[in-house]
Amino acid sequence: MHPVNARLDEHLPADHKLSKVYRVGAGLTGLLLVVFGILGLVDRIGFFDTGGDTVLALNTNGALSVLSICIGALLCIGMVIGGTFASTLNIVLGLLFIASGFVNLALLDTELNFLAFKIPNVLFSFVVGVMLMWFGMYGRVGSALPHDNPYWRARHPEQAAREDRAYGAYRRPAPGRP
């Protein structure tokens, strides 16, 4: 095994089809979080109220609503930027959602549960975390990436160069590309 000196955030062309997956994942999840946060604020729930107010079948308070809007806005920014930024953002926020699920699971029924989490909120954190990670890792990691994938090419530069030399004369350029 040879170490690869390639950074994965440098090898995705801006117009690559994978960017659409990252953008859609970030955008839909961000929109869902913003809607949840706005509905929580519209109900005028106390900022650190743990009284059991629900929005969209999830327990919430003002702090969780504001946090949801901020994270949703960050995901929408990722959708606008796209590319590896959106992919990396999805992965990082997915990991944070999963970690939040575990932390808030441990804090249930304690006075430290200032975000008013209940079991449905914990499950929602896990589901959103896994979804974001899936959106972020799609086409980026895996054992069966196609050899024209920019991430595969970055990890296997010598083999990619050999394939380019061997098949370069037989490949035709993709439509719209020189």
Side-chain angles (χ1 to χ4, degrees), residues 29-58:
T29 308
L31 180 65
L32 174 70
L33 291 171
V34 168
V35 167
F36 172 76
I38 289 173
L39 290 175
L41 290 179
V42 167
D43 282 349
R44 296 186 180 174
I45 301 167
F47 201 72
F48 290 112
D49 184 23
T50 57
D53 296 306
T54 60
V55 171
L56 300 175
L58 296 173

Short mmCIF file of all heavy atoms in Angstrom, two decimals, residues 29-58:
data_model
loop_
_atom_site.label_atom_id
_atom_site.label_comp_id
_atom_site.label_asym_id
_atom_site.label_seq_id
_atom_site.Cartn_x
_atom_site.Cartn_y
_atom_site.Cartn_z
N THR A 29 -32.64 18.75 3.75
CA THR A 29 -32.49 18.66 5.20
C THR A 29 -32.51 20.04 5.83
O THR A 29 -33.14 20.26 6.87
CB THR A 29 -31.20 17.91 5.56
OG1 THR A 29 -31.17 16.66 4.85
CG2 THR A 29 -31.11 17.63 7.04
N GLY A 30 -31.83 21.00 5.20
CA GLY A 30 -31.83 22.37 5.71
C GLY A 30 -33.22 22.97 5.73
O GLY A 30 -33.62 23.62 6.70
N LEU A 31 -33.98 22.74 4.66
CA LEU A 31 -35.35 23.25 4.59
C LEU A 31 -36.21 22.65 5.70
O LEU A 31 -36.98 23.36 6.36
CB LEU A 31 -35.94 22.96 3.22
CG LEU A 31 -37.36 23.44 2.98
CD1 LEU A 31 -37.42 24.96 3.02
CD2 LEU A 31 -37.87 22.93 1.64
N LEU A 32 -36.08 21.35 5.93
CA LEU A 32 -36.83 20.69 6.98
C LEU A 32 -36.50 21.29 8.35
O LEU A 32 -37.40 21.57 9.15
CB LEU A 32 -36.51 19.19 6.98
CG LEU A 32 -37.11 18.35 8.11
CD1 LEU A 32 -38.61 18.24 7.93
CD2 LEU A 32 -36.47 16.99 8.15
N LEU A 33 -35.23 21.52 8.61
CA LEU A 33 -34.82 22.09 9.89
C LEU A 33 -35.30 23.53 10.06
O LEU A 33 -35.73 23.94 11.15
CB LEU A 33 -33.31 22.00 10.06
CG LEU A 33 -32.76 20.59 10.25
CD1 LEU A 33 -31.24 20.60 10.19
CD2 LEU A 33 -33.25 19.99 11.55
N VAL A 34 -35.23 24.32 8.99
CA VAL A 34 -35.70 25.71 9.07
C VAL A 34 -37.20 25.75 9.33
O VAL A 34 -37.67 26.53 10.17
CB VAL A 34 -35.32 26.48 7.78
CG1 VAL A 34 -36.04 27.80 7.71
CG2 VAL A 34 -33.81 26.69 7.72
N VAL A 35 -37.97 24.91 8.64
CA VAL A 35 -39.42 24.87 8.86
C VAL A 35 -39.72 24.47 10.30
O VAL A 35 -40.56 25.10 10.98
CB VAL A 35 -40.10 23.91 7.85
CG1 VAL A 35 -41.53 23.62 8.25
CG2 VAL A 35 -40.04 24.50 6.45
N PHE A 36 -39.03 23.45 10.80
CA PHE A 36 -39.23 23.02 12.19
C PHE A 36 -38.91 24.16 13.16
O PHE A 36 -39.67 24.42 14.10
CB PHE A 36 -38.35 21.80 12.49
CG PHE A 36 -38.34 21.39 13.93
CD1 PHE A 36 -39.43 20.73 14.47
CD2 PHE A 36 -37.26 21.67 14.75
CE1 PHE A 36 -39.44 20.34 15.81
CE2 PHE A 36 -37.26 21.30 16.08
CZ PHE A 36 -38.35 20.64 16.62
N GLY A 37 -37.82 24.85 12.92
CA GLY A 37 -37.43 25.95 13.80
C GLY A 37 -38.41 27.11 13.76
O GLY A 37 -38.76 27.67 14.81
N ILE A 38 -38.85 27.47 12.58
CA ILE A 38 -39.80 28.58 12.45
C ILE A 38 -41.13 28.23 13.13
O ILE A 38 -41.71 29.05 13.84
CB ILE A 38 -40.01 28.96 10.97
CG1 ILE A 38 -38.74 29.64 10.43
CG2 ILE A 38 -41.22 29.86 10.80
CD1 ILE A 38 -38.75 29.90 8.95
N LEU A 39 -41.61 27.01 12.92
CA LEU A 39 -42.86 26.60 13.57
C LEU A 39 -42.71 26.61 15.09
O LEU A 39 -43.66 26.94 15.82
CB LEU A 39 -43.30 25.22 13.08
CG LEU A 39 -43.79 25.16 11.64
CD1 LEU A 39 -44.08 23.72 11.23
CD2 LEU A 39 -45.01 26.04 11.44
N GLY A 40 -41.53 26.26 15.59
CA GLY A 40 -41.29 26.32 17.03
C GLY A 40 -41.29 27.74 17.56
O GLY A 40 -41.81 28.01 18.64
N LEU A 41 -40.74 28.66 16.80
CA LEU A 41 -40.73 30.07 17.22
C LEU A 41 -42.10 30.71 17.11
O LEU A 41 -42.46 31.57 17.92
CB LEU A 41 -39.71 30.86 16.41
CG LEU A 41 -38.24 30.55 16.68
CD1 LEU A 41 -37.34 31.38 15.78
CD2 LEU A 41 -37.90 30.78 18.15
N VAL A 42 -42.87 30.32 16.12
CA VAL A 42 -44.21 30.87 15.94
C VAL A 42 -45.10 30.51 17.12
O VAL A 42 -45.97 31.29 17.52
CB VAL A 42 -44.81 30.37 14.60
CG1 VAL A 42 -46.30 30.66 14.51
CG2 VAL A 42 -44.09 31.00 13.44
N ASP A 43 -44.88 29.34 17.70
CA ASP A 43 -45.68 28.91 18.86
C ASP A 43 -45.33 29.66 20.13
O ASP A 43 -45.95 29.46 21.16
CB ASP A 43 -45.51 27.40 19.09
CG ASP A 43 -46.33 26.58 18.13
OD1 ASP A 43 -47.19 27.15 17.43
OD2 ASP A 43 -46.12 25.36 18.09
N ARG A 44 -44.29 30.51 20.08
CA ARG A 44 -43.85 31.33 21.22
C ARG A 44 -43.59 30.48 22.46
O ARG A 44 -44.04 30.77 23.56
CB ARG A 44 -44.86 32.42 21.52
CG ARG A 44 -44.97 33.39 20.40
CD ARG A 44 -45.84 34.52 20.75
NE ARG A 44 -45.89 35.42 19.60
CZ ARG A 44 -46.66 36.45 19.52
NH1 ARG A 44 -47.44 36.76 20.51
NH2 ARG A 44 -46.64 37.21 18.45
N ILE A 45 -42.85 29.44 22.25
CA ILE A 45 -42.46 28.56 23.35
C ILE A 45 -41.30 29.23 24.07
O ILE A 45 -40.45 29.86 23.44
CB ILE A 45 -42.04 27.18 22.80
CG1 ILE A 45 -43.20 26.56 22.01
CG2 ILE A 45 -41.59 26.25 23.90
CD1 ILE A 45 -42.81 25.36 21.17
N GLY A 46 -41.21 29.07 25.36
CA GLY A 46 -40.12 29.66 26.12
C GLY A 46 -38.77 29.17 25.63
O GLY A 46 -38.64 28.04 25.14
N PHE A 47 -37.74 30.01 25.78
CA PHE A 47 -36.43 29.69 25.20
C PHE A 47 -35.86 28.40 25.78
O PHE A 47 -35.36 27.56 25.04
CB PHE A 47 -35.46 30.87 25.40
CG PHE A 47 -34.31 30.83 24.45
CD1 PHE A 47 -34.49 31.13 23.12
CD2 PHE A 47 -33.05 30.47 24.89
CE1 PHE A 47 -33.44 31.09 22.23
CE2 PHE A 47 -31.98 30.44 24.00
CZ PHE A 47 -32.18 30.74 22.67
N PHE A 48 -35.91 28.23 27.09
CA PHE A 48 -35.41 26.99 27.69
C PHE A 48 -36.54 26.22 28.38
O PHE A 48 -36.32 25.48 29.32
CB PHE A 48 -34.29 27.29 28.69
CG PHE A 48 -33.02 27.74 28.04
CD1 PHE A 48 -32.56 29.03 28.19
CD2 PHE A 48 -32.29 26.87 27.24
CE1 PHE A 48 -31.39 29.45 27.59
CE2 PHE A 48 -31.13 27.28 26.63
CZ PHE A 48 -30.67 28.58 26.80
N ASP A 49 -37.75 26.36 27.87
CA ASP A 49 -38.91 25.68 28.42
C ASP A 49 -38.81 24.19 28.14
O ASP A 49 -38.53 23.77 27.02
CB ASP A 49 -40.19 26.25 27.80
CG ASP A 49 -41.44 25.65 28.37
OD1 ASP A 49 -41.39 25.15 29.51
OD2 ASP A 49 -42.48 25.69 27.69
N THR A 50 -39.03 23.38 29.15
CA THR A 50 -39.01 21.93 28.96
C THR A 50 -40.38 21.35 29.25
O THR A 50 -40.52 20.20 29.66
CB THR A 50 -37.95 21.27 29.88
OG1 THR A 50 -38.23 21.62 31.23
CG2 THR A 50 -36.55 21.69 29.50
N GLY A 51 -41.42 22.13 28.99
CA GLY A 51 -42.78 21.75 29.32
C GLY A 51 -43.43 20.75 28.39
O GLY A 51 -44.54 20.33 28.62
N GLY A 52 -42.81 20.37 27.33
CA GLY A 52 -43.38 19.35 26.46
C GLY A 52 -44.13 19.89 25.26
O GLY A 52 -45.02 19.23 24.74
N ASP A 53 -43.81 21.11 24.80
CA ASP A 53 -44.45 21.65 23.60
C ASP A 53 -43.91 20.91 22.38
O ASP A 53 -42.72 20.66 22.26
CB ASP A 53 -44.14 23.14 23.47
CG ASP A 53 -44.74 23.93 24.62
OD1 ASP A 53 -45.95 23.79 24.84
OD2 ASP A 53 -43.98 24.65 25.29
N THR A 54 -44.82 20.57 21.44
CA THR A 54 -44.41 19.80 20.27
C THR A 54 -44.68 20.56 18.99
O THR A 54 -45.63 21.33 18.89
CB THR A 54 -45.13 18.44 20.20
OG1 THR A 54 -46.53 18.66 20.12
CG2 THR A 54 -44.81 17.58 21.41
N VAL A 55 -43.82 20.31 18.03
CA VAL A 55 -43.96 20.82 16.67
C VAL A 55 -43.59 19.66 15.75
O VAL A 55 -42.52 19.07 15.90
CB VAL A 55 -43.03 22.02 16.43
CG1 VAL A 55 -43.01 22.40 14.96
CG2 VAL A 55 -43.43 23.20 17.28
N LEU A 56 -44.48 19.35 14.82
CA LEU A 56 -44.24 18.24 13.88
C LEU A 56 -43.90 16.95 14.62
O LEU A 56 -42.99 16.21 14.24
CB LEU A 56 -43.14 18.59 12.87
CG LEU A 56 -43.39 19.81 11.99
CD1 LEU A 56 -42.16 20.10 11.14
CD2 LEU A 56 -44.61 19.61 11.11
N ALA A 57 -44.60 16.69 15.70
CA ALA A 57 -44.46 15.49 16.53
C ALA A 57 -43.12 15.40 17.28
O ALA A 57 -42.78 14.35 17.79
CB ALA A 57 -44.68 14.23 15.70
N LEU A 58 -42.36 16.49 17.31
CA LEU A 58 -41.11 16.52 18.05
C LEU A 58 -41.21 17.54 19.17
O LEU A 58 -41.77 18.62 18.98
CB LEU A 58 -39.94 16.87 17.13
CG LEU A 58 -39.62 15.88 16.02
CD1 LEU A 58 -38.56 16.45 15.10
CD2 LEU A 58 -39.18 14.56 16.59
#
